[in-house]
Amino acid sequence: MSREKVNVHRRSPTLSALSSSSPPSLSSPPSLFPPLAKLLLLFLLLSFSTPVSCQDDDGDIPKNLQSGGGGNNQVAEQLVSQAIYNSFANFTGIFKQDIKKHFGFCITDVDKDWNDAFNFSKNTQFMSNCAKRTNGDIGQRICTAAEIKFYFNSFFSKGSKKSNYLHPNKNCNLSSWVSGCEPGWACSAGKGVKVDMKNSKDMPTRVVDCQSCCEGFFCPHGLTCMIPCPLGAYCPLSVLNKTTGVCDPYHYQLPAGKPNHTCGGADLWADIVSTSEIFCSAGSYCPSTIQKLPCTRGHYCRTGSTSQSGCFKLATCVPKSANQNITAYGLLIFAGLGFLLIIIYNCSDQVLSTREKRQAKTREQAVQSVRETQAREKWKSAKETAKKHAIDFQTQFSRTFSRVKSKREDTNPSAKGKKKEKGNLTKMMQEIEANPEGHDGFHVEIGDKNIKKHAPKGKQLHTQSQMFRYAYGQIEREKAMQEQNKNLTFSGVISMASDVEIRKRPIIEVAFKDLTLTLKGKNKHLLRCVTGKLSPGRVSAVMGPSGAGKTTFLSALTGKAPGCRVTGMVLVNGKAEPIQAYKKIIGFVPQDDIVHGNLTVEENLWFSASCRLSADLPKPDKILVVERVIESLGLQPVRDSLVGTVEKRGISGGQRKRVNVGLEMVMEPSLLILDEPTSGLDSSSSQLLLRALRREALEGVNICMVVHQPSYTLFRMFDDLILLAKGGLTAYHGPVKKVEEYFADIGIIVPDRVNPPDYFIDILEGILKPASGVHYKQLPVRWMLHNAYPVPMDMLQSTEGLGGPAGEGSNHDGMPSEAGSETQSFAGEFWQDMKSNVEFKKDNMQHNFLNMVDLSGRTTPGILRQYKYFLGRVGKQRLREARTQAVDYLILLLAGICLGTLAKVSDETFGAVGYTYTVIAVSLLCKIAALRSFSLDKLHYWRERGSGMSSLAYFLSKDTIDHFNTLIKPIVYLSMFYFFNNPRSSIYDNYIVLVCLVYCVTGIAYILAIAFEAGPAQLWSVLLPVVLTLVATRNDGGLAGKLSDICYTKWALEAFVISNAKRYRGVWLITRCGSLLENGYDLNHWNRCLILLGLTGLASRVVAFIVLVTCQRR
């Protein structure tokens, strides 16, 4: 026979790839490759490390037992088999530390893994059979440490990396090739020859009495010794298949030229792909390596099982079942979750209604408290005041009618002292009733402010009819107050509370001089040379054509003009203090109706009041504030109605606009700024809103609002007017009553039946040309000259020669600086835009992180109390979004069914393929769902943050509510995936990994939702899981391999595979280690992967919060 090289293994496609340098992909089954040779060597050496006392010190079988193996004495056979077992169980323990050091990634507990693979103490029958067959010569046939090391070291020697051959050895070489060198055969070292099984250097000579390998052992091709098959394997003697010439169930052939050679035993133990024939087949279990039994009904047996496992009660297990069908449990969980979702969906409104009833009771309790305290005290004060007024009336009337009284005393002196005289007030009333048309004058000083409020205009009452009406009015008012106090209702308390003196608010007066805003990077004026004052207790209107800078003016007043350079002077109460220091008592109503549509009117107002009113203000007082605003804005009929969204209609547009204003009114501001609050409202709704604002102004509130073309009635309700022209210039600033007079003085007279504000705006737009010939561009300069304000030279030059025909056809925006910009190149304009954007972002970040000293004197609730308020609000919103939540859960259920049915967890890859799809699906679905937490509420957050609410409380409340999904969604998915797939890992391990994964991807979704708009955020949410999973499956050691180590998908996938792989024992040991080594996983990294997922989720939330407080749309 020609033997240039010693063929170690049979040629097969799988083993041909074992020595290739490129590792297989994750989806391909693991195969045996060189590092596994070291693993098997050291593991088998380890398996011989438990010391026993039933053998000689040199590890040989006692000589008195070697000859007893072939007799009929059963006790002798047991002693022989026990001695043989102890001979290889007593292998040296010097390799134990090496295994822990080099192969700790797949062997966490050395002793446990040895027991799972080679603890044959329960059944040593195969050893007794082998000892009987070899006449007690089994000890001379078992491989030593040197032979095992040689066998596996040959896999990765330089000359054999790309072939399936071993180097020649002492027993099988070019000059010696005995029958024991063939697969499935072994030889003996000879009787009387001492074999040191601990010797890992010298290989003993085994060329005597070659015969087929014993059952329960495997004999490698190219070695003449035997190795016991691990538990979970089935290693019977092979039988020649005359049709194929293969030794079944193994796949080696008989050597050519040896007619006396027969099929032997097993020839190889490796991974399940290469040596699936020695694994105990699915549907059967192998108590020992020579016995295979079918699974009975009610039990199931996975591949490589040593015993049958009992099925659950509701599971279906027919005879020879490879796995139990526990789909029934999944369906039960599905039904339970579905029932729970239906309850949540149908009962969420009922829960909120019950909560509303409880809150209504709370309001009634607050009213009762008011009835018992404030009403009693105020009524007592009112009676004392009335009594004081009666005395004052008597004194005043007695002085007034002293002449009449003296005449009566002279005409009837005998009446004096006979009876008690009537009071002066009674006599006065009788005199008036007797002579109602009389014109005798009298003088009454108005002393009390409450009487002064309801008295006729002027400080004196001059006629009897006026006095009559006033006196009876006072009497009727006292009777009404008495009747109201007897049957005090909630509305009555509100009415009474509005009649009495209300808490004084801090006064804010804003004065500005030469206020100019210039866009950074472009040097373009948005506002220029605006001078004036906003006074407390007055309602100021800002009007002008489109593009005149009305909203910019309001932003400049509130200090919210990022990207602009502000010059001039802004004084608050006569001091040069930043207006941001008063933001807790400043209300800003944006142009858009930024109101939570899934909350009711009252819930929106109550939340704003809770977070922005003083923290020490009692709850009853807060309730009264909210009720007063609801009454004043006419929202009582819709107080319990949802505001509504685009998808779900709620209250009307006018009511929504009033709610938008009410959000600022409930915080009792001292300065209230409104940006076009009447846009889109009809005349009656606008008047209702403005009357409510005027009532606020009576309490000392400084109100300034932008108005577009108001009606004349609405226009006359304003106190002051700020009229802006194109370019942010002032055309008029003063009382509304004097605006027509001022424009008449410069030749602009409002025609009859024309609304003055419409006429002025048309002139400022350049649509109408006054008869006097005044050009609209001259109006700002004329106003400056009228008030002796300094006029910039460029404005004077630009208006020279304008007027009448000369100004016709000129461009509205014709400014010298802007004309020059028209010739600027594209690159220059692009550079200016870039500079402007950079300046905007820089100023925005500085504004967000600016720690301004609070000068408002109001202490609002802290972060913890605001967190409580935010938590309640977000909880209500999620309950009202039950349908959306139900759809999310339904999609997860369908994903679990599809992946659990199609992507089965294979034993070859320990479920890596199915878990890969799980990571992608769960990441994608949970990310898209988590985007809604912040992407839909950006405008609301920016408004609330601008008013001084806590960003941290807002963020934490959202995240806290999302923890519900973090805990429930893994259950929803596993209820289908786990029970349809039934992997070996426990459902608890899968749940823990999924919880960490959902927590991680939710944090990443926060970043995407906050940093991007809705469309790009959804696109990134879809791409990231897929791309990162592809990167995570690369383990080639290059850049992709390094990137995979920092991908959350790699950690999740590794945790899933580890939780499943640690359930594979015994015969699966090489497959487990090969798969983990191939993919770069480690059994010890399970906790580390979970920690990394949790830390990534936490770090993502920190980054998301930083982005939340730093980024804001332009």
Side-chain angles (χ1 to χ4, degrees):
M1 179 185 297
S2 174
R3 302 184 185 90
E4 296 179 358
K5 289 186 178 180
V6 182
N7 187 357
V8 179
H9 294 295
R10 58 182 177 275
R11 294 182 180 271
S12 64
T14 303
L15 289 178
S16 299
L18 297 181
S19 303
S20 62
S21 58
S22 61
S25 64
L26 181 64
S27 59
S28 62
S31 58
L32 187 65
F33 43 90
L36 286 183
K38 290 183 179 180
L39 167 67
L40 186 57
L41 163 66
L42 297 179
F43 185 77
L44 290 177
L45 292 178
L46 165 68
S47 66
F48 307 152
S49 62
T50 304
V52 294
S53 58
C54 299
Q55 66 183 66
D56 297 338
D57 294 337
D58 57 0
D60 295 335
I61 301 174
K63 295 180 180 180
N64 60 341
L65 295 177
Q66 290 184 6
S67 61
N72 295 325
N73 191 340
Q74 184 175 3
V75 177
E77 292 178 359
Q78 293 179 353
L79 292 176
V80 170
S81 61
Q82 185 64 37
I84 295 170
Y85 169 70
N86 291 334
S87 67
F88 66 82
N90 194 31
F91 232 123
T92 178
I94 60 175
F95 294 105
K96 187 173 183 178
Q97 295 301 323
D98 292 335
I99 290 179
K100 290 182 178 180
K101 180 179 179 181
H102 299 288
F103 301 97
F105 68 92
C106 63
I107 301 176
T108 56
D109 190 341
V110 177
D111 296 330
K112 185 177 183 300
D113 285 332
W114 174 82
N115 287 324
D116 292 337
F118 296 103
N119 187 1
F120 306 112
S121 59
K122 294 182 180 180
N123 192 342
T124 58
Q125 184 64 36
F126 75 100
M127 295 184 183
S128 301
N129 295 343
C130 186
K132 186 187 298 185
R133 178 183 176 188
T134 59
N135 295 322
D137 195 32
I138 184 175
Q140 304 299 98
R141 297 175 182 271
I142 295 178
C143 293
T144 63
E147 291 170 305
I148 296 175
K149 181 186 294 186
F150 173 80
Y151 172 69
F152 287 105
N153 281 341
S154 299
F155 277 101
F156 45 90
S157 61
K158 290 185 178 180
S160 61
K161 278 190 176 181
K162 296 184 180 180
S163 64
N164 295 322
Y165 295 93
L166 285 174
H167 286 301
N169 57 71
K170 184 177 182 179
N171 299 314
C172 301
N173 50 53
L174 294 177
S175 59
S176 173
W177 187 264
V178 294
S179 299
C181 296
E182 298 296 338
W185 276 55
C187 300
S188 173
K191 293 184 179 181
V193 178
K194 183 177 181 181
V195 179
D196 186 7
M197 302 187 70
K198 303 176 183 178
N199 191 344
S200 61
K201 296 181 180 179
D202 300 325
M203 185 182 301
T205 302
R206 300 180 191 272
V207 294
V208 181
D209 191 16
C210 297
Q211 55 182 287
S212 60
C213 196
C214 295
E215 286 185 298
F217 292 83
F218 71 95
C219 300
H221 191 190
L223 289 178
T224 57
C225 58
M226 301 187 306
I227 302 174
C229 292
L231 294 173
Y234 179 57
C235 301
L237 291 176
S238 61
V239 178
L240 179 62
N241 188 330
K242 295 182 179 180
T243 303
T244 61
V246 175
C247 295
D248 290 335
Y250 314 110
H251 303 292
Y252 60 85
Q253 295 178 339
L254 296 178
K258 291 186 177 182
N260 296 328
H261 196 87
T262 60
C263 290
D267 66 323
L268 184 64
W269 169 45
D271 60 280
I272 189 172
V273 176
S274 302
T275 59
S276 59
E277 62 272 9
I278 75 166
F279 282 71
C280 190
S281 60
S284 303
Y285 67 100
C286 300
S288 67
T289 56
I290 61 173
Q291 186 181 14
K292 183 166 77 170
L293 302 174
C295 257
T296 60
R297 181 179 296 275
H299 298 82
Y300 69 97
C301 302
R302 300 178 187 266
T303 303
S305 299
T306 58
S307 61
Q308 56 183 356
S309 303
C311 295
F312 296 150
K313 291 183 178 181
L314 298 179
T316 303
C317 291
V318 299
K320 296 184 179 180
S321 295
N323 204 343
Q324 60 176 340
N325 186 357
I326 55 176
T327 308
Y329 287 93
L331 295 177
L332 286 177
I333 296 179
F334 173 79
L337 288 174
F339 182 70
L340 180 62
L341 292 176
I342 292 174
I343 292 177
I344 294 175
Y345 176 73
N346 292 326
C347 298
S348 58
D349 292 337
Q350 185 63 35
V351 171
L352 294 176
S353 299
T354 304
R355 180 177 175 84
E356 291 299 327
K357 291 180 181 179
R358 296 186 62 183
Q359 290 182 348
K361 292 181 180 179
T362 303
R363 289 197 301 267
E364 293 297 332
Q365 293 175 358
V367 172
Q368 183 67 24
S369 175
V370 172
R371 181 184 294 116
E372 294 176 354
T373 55
Q374 297 180 3
R376 184 186 300 113
E377 294 297 329
K378 293 172 182 177
W379 177 241
K380 180 179 179 181
S381 175
K383 290 196 296 183
E384 292 177 353
T385 303
K387 184 178 180 180
K388 177 182 177 182
H389 293 164
I391 298 175
D392 292 339
F393 280 135
Q394 289 180 356
T395 305
Q396 297 294 337
F397 293 157
S398 62
R399 294 175 181 175
T400 304
F401 295 101
S402 59
R403 179 175 57 82
V404 178
K405 292 178 182 179
S406 60
K407 289 181 179 180
R408 290 182 179 179
E409 289 177 357
D410 293 339
T411 57
N412 191 13
S414 60
K416 185 177 181 180
K418 292 184 179 181
K419 59 179 180 179
K420 186 177 179 181
E421 295 183 359
K422 296 182 179 180
N424 293 330
L425 182 58
T426 304
K427 293 179 179 180
M428 177 197 68
M429 300 300 298
Q430 292 177 352
E431 181 69 20
I432 294 175
E433 291 177 356
N435 188 14
E437 301 299 330
H439 296 281
D440 292 337
F442 61 93
H443 181 76
V444 179
E445 293 289 341
I446 306 300
D448 187 75
K449 57 184 177 183
N450 287 326
I451 297 179
K452 190 183 299 184
K453 177 178 179 181
H454 300 287
K457 292 183 178 180
K459 293 186 178 181
Q460 296 179 355
L461 299 175
H462 298 287
T463 65
Q464 292 181 356
S465 60
Q466 290 178 346
M467 182 5 226
F468 181 80
R469 288 193 298 268
Y470 176 70
Y472 271 97
Q474 289 294 108
I475 295 174
E476 292 297 327
R477 184 174 290 105
E478 289 185 3
K479 290 181 179 180
M481 291 181 66
Q482 290 176 355
E483 191 67 25
Q484 186 179 16
N485 190 45
K486 291 179 181 178
N487 188 16
L488 194 60
T489 61
F490 184 63
S491 59
V493 173
I494 302 303
S495 176
M496 186 180 67
S498 62
D499 288 339
V500 298
E501 184 179 3
I502 302 177
R503 292 182 305 275
K504 294 183 178 180
R505 305 184 190 181
I507 299 300
I508 291 183
E509 181 186 71
V510 181
F512 39 93
K513 182 179 181 181
D514 292 335
L515 184 62
T516 303
L517 261 72
T518 307
L519 193 62
K520 294 181 180 179
K522 293 186 177 181
N523 294 324
K524 179 181 179 181
H525 296 303
L526 302 180
L527 204 67
R528 194 173 187 189
C529 300
V530 179
T531 301
K533 182 176 65 173
L534 300 178
S535 301
R538 299 180 69 84
V539 180
S540 303
V542 181
M543 298 175 58
S546 298
K550 301 181 294 296
T551 302
T552 303
F553 171 69
L554 298 184
S555 300
L557 288 182
T558 56
K560 300 176 182 179
C564 297
R565 182 172 62 253
V566 182
T567 58
M569 184 181 301
V570 178
L571 302 178
V572 181
N573 294 333
K575 300 179 181 179
E577 296 173 340
I579 199 168
Q580 295 94 333
Y582 296 88
K583 67 179 181 180
K584 290 184 179 181
I585 56 175
I586 295 177
F588 183 84
V589 180
Q591 181 176 354
D592 299 326
D593 299 333
I594 305 175
V595 186
H596 290 279
N598 47 13
L599 295 178
T600 64
V601 172
E602 183 179 358
E603 287 169 351
N604 275 285
L605 299 178
W606 173 248
F607 176 81
S608 180
S610 300
C611 292
R612 301 177 65 183
L613 286 174
S614 180
D616 56 358
L617 188 66
K619 185 176 181 180
D621 291 344
K622 292 182 180 180
I623 293 176
L624 292 178
V625 171
V626 174
E627 294 297 331
R628 179 177 61 85
V629 172
I630 291 177
E631 290 287 346
S632 62
L633 292 175
L635 297 173
Q636 189 67 33
V638 295
R639 62 181 302 158
D640 295 325
S641 301
L642 290 177
V643 174
T645 58
V646 177
E647 297 83 7
K648 186 176 181 181
R649 180 165 178 81
I651 59 179
S652 66
Q655 292 167 341
R656 186 185 180 95
K657 180 73 70 174
R658 279 177 272 162
V659 174
N660 187 34
V661 176
L663 291 178
E664 303 300 325
M665 291 176 59
V666 293
M667 51 87 64
E668 295 190 337
S670 297
L671 173 62
L672 182 58
I673 298 176
L674 306 95
D675 191 4
E676 301 186 18
T678 59
S679 298
L681 300 182
D682 54 24
S683 178
S684 60
S685 298
S686 300
Q687 291 184 27
L688 177 63
L689 177 61
L690 195 55
R691 280 197 295 267
L693 294 176
R694 289 200 62 84
R695 283 194 291 270
E696 291 290 309
L698 292 176
E699 301 174 14
V701 181
N702 193 344
I703 298 177
C704 179
M705 57 189 299
V706 174
V707 185
H708 264 306
Q709 295 182 330
S711 63
Y712 184 74
T713 303
L714 198 66
F715 178 70
R716 300 296 296 179
M717 294 177 69
F718 292 107
D719 297 318
D720 297 322
L721 173 65
I722 301 176
L723 196 59
L724 296 179
K726 289 280 188 177
L729 300 170
T730 307
Y732 176 79
H733 180 20
V736 171
K737 298 178 181 179
K738 297 182 180 180
V739 60
E740 296 183 46
E741 178 183 350
Y742 166 74
F743 279 102
D745 291 341
I746 60 176
I748 300 176
I749 301 175
V750 180
D752 295 337
R753 298 183 179 181
V754 175
N755 190 13
D758 294 344
Y759 185 74
F760 296 146
I761 292 176
D762 290 341
I763 289 178
L764 292 175
E765 281 278 8
I767 299 175
L768 297 178
K769 300 177 178 59
S772 61
V774 178
H775 197 272
Y776 71 94
K777 288 186 178 181
Q778 295 178 338
L779 296 179
V781 178
R782 286 183 175 246
W783 172 254
M784 292 182 180
L785 296 175
H786 174 77
N787 292 277
Y789 296 155
V791 183
M793 291 299 300
D794 60 334
M795 292 181 61
L796 288 175
Q797 295 174 359
S798 64
T799 56
E800 288 181 357
L802 293 178
E808 295 181 4
S810 61
N811 189 4
H812 289 184
D813 300 326
M815 300 292 287
S817 59
E818 295 178 359
S821 63
E822 294 179 358
T823 60
Q824 193 174 17
S825 64
F826 172 78
E829 292 182 359
F830 178 77
W831 176 247
Q832 284 189 352
D833 292 339
M834 290 290 294
K835 289 174 61 178
S836 178
N837 291 333
V838 170
E839 292 291 343
F840 171 79
K841 293 183 180 297
K842 177 182 176 182
D843 293 348
N844 192 24
M845 293 182 64
Q846 290 178 352
H847 175 74
N848 292 333
F849 287 99
L850 186 63
N851 189 13
M852 190 68 63
V853 179
D854 183 26
L855 302 177
S856 63
R858 176 181 293 183
T859 303
T860 55
I863 293 179
L864 292 180
R865 288 184 62 182
Q866 289 193 35
Y867 169 73
K868 175 184 175 183
Y869 298 143
F870 274 109
L871 200 63
R873 185 183 74 177
V874 178
K876 291 179 182 178
Q877 291 174 322
R878 293 300 168 85
L879 284 176
R880 293 193 174 107
E881 295 171 356
R883 177 176 296 180
T884 304
Q885 296 290 333
V887 171
D888 290 342
Y889 294 153
L890 180 60
I891 294 175
L892 271 177
L893 287 172
L894 295 177
I897 293 175
C898 295
L899 296 181
T901 305
L902 302 178
K904 290 291 185 181
V905 176
S906 62
D907 291 328
E908 293 81 2
T909 60
F910 302 106
V913 177
Y915 285 130
T916 301
Y917 296 142
T918 293
V919 171
I920 294 176
V922 173
S923 299
L924 191 150
L925 295 177
C926 292
K927 276 184 180 178
I928 292 179
L931 292 178
R932 294 193 297 267
S933 295
F934 290 94
S935 61
L936 302 180
D937 289 344
K938 287 183 180 180
L939 296 178
H940 303 84
Y941 164 72
W942 289 332
R943 176 178 183 177
E944 291 168 355
R945 186 184 69 177
S947 63
M949 294 189 191
S950 172
S951 298
L952 182 59
Y954 169 81
F955 184 86
L956 290 179
S957 65
K958 292 275 191 179
D959 188 37
T960 302
I961 296 299
D962 280 341
H963 287 340
F964 176 80
N965 286 330
T966 303
L967 298 177
I968 297 300
K969 285 187 175 181
I971 298 178
V972 174
Y973 179 79
L974 287 177
S975 65
M976 295 293 101
F977 176 81
Y978 186 86
F979 293 102
F980 275 88
N981 210 320
N982 195 14
R984 297 200 183 193
S985 56
S986 67
I987 190 172
Y988 172 78
D989 291 342
N990 284 266
Y991 175 74
I992 293 299
V993 177
L994 276 181
V995 167
C996 295
L997 175 61
V998 174
Y999 180 78
C1000 176
V1001 299
T1002 301
I1004 297 175
Y1006 289 167
I1007 300 177
L1008 299 177
I1010 296 172
F1012 301 100
E1013 296 297 329
Q1018 292 177 357
L1019 180 61
W1020 278 107
S1021 298
V1022 174
L1023 290 179
L1024 274 181
V1026 178
V1027 174
L1028 293 182
T1029 303
L1030 293 177
V1031 174
T1033 56
R1034 297 293 299 273
N1035 192 33
D1036 53 6
L1039 178 61
K1042 294 180 180 178
L1043 290 177
S1044 67
D1045 293 334
I1046 58 175
C1047 292
Y1048 77 88
T1049 52
K1050 167 72 175 293
W1051 304 328
L1053 186 57
E1054 182 176 0
F1056 276 124
V1057 173
I1058 289 173
S1059 63
N1060 205 34
K1062 64 184 179 181
R1063 303 282 177 166
Y1064 289 79
R1065 307 182 183 92
V1067 70
W1068 290 99
L1069 183 61
I1070 291 181
T1071 307
R1072 183 177 79 184
C1073 292
S1075 178
L1076 295 178
L1077 183 63
E1078 177 185 355
N1079 297 301
Y1081 298 157
D1082 192 333
L1083 288 181
N1084 300 295
H1085 289 173
W1086 194 74
N1087 291 329
R1088 191 188 76 166
C1089 291
L1090 299 184
I1091 293 174
L1092 288 175
L1093 287 173
L1095 291 178
T1096 302
L1098 182 61
S1100 300
R1101 284 162 171 79
V1102 174
V1103 174
F1105 178 72
I1106 294 174
V1107 175
L1108 181 69
V1109 298
T1110 55
C1111 296
Q1112 184 172 346
R1113 73 168 186 174
R1114 190 163 186 168

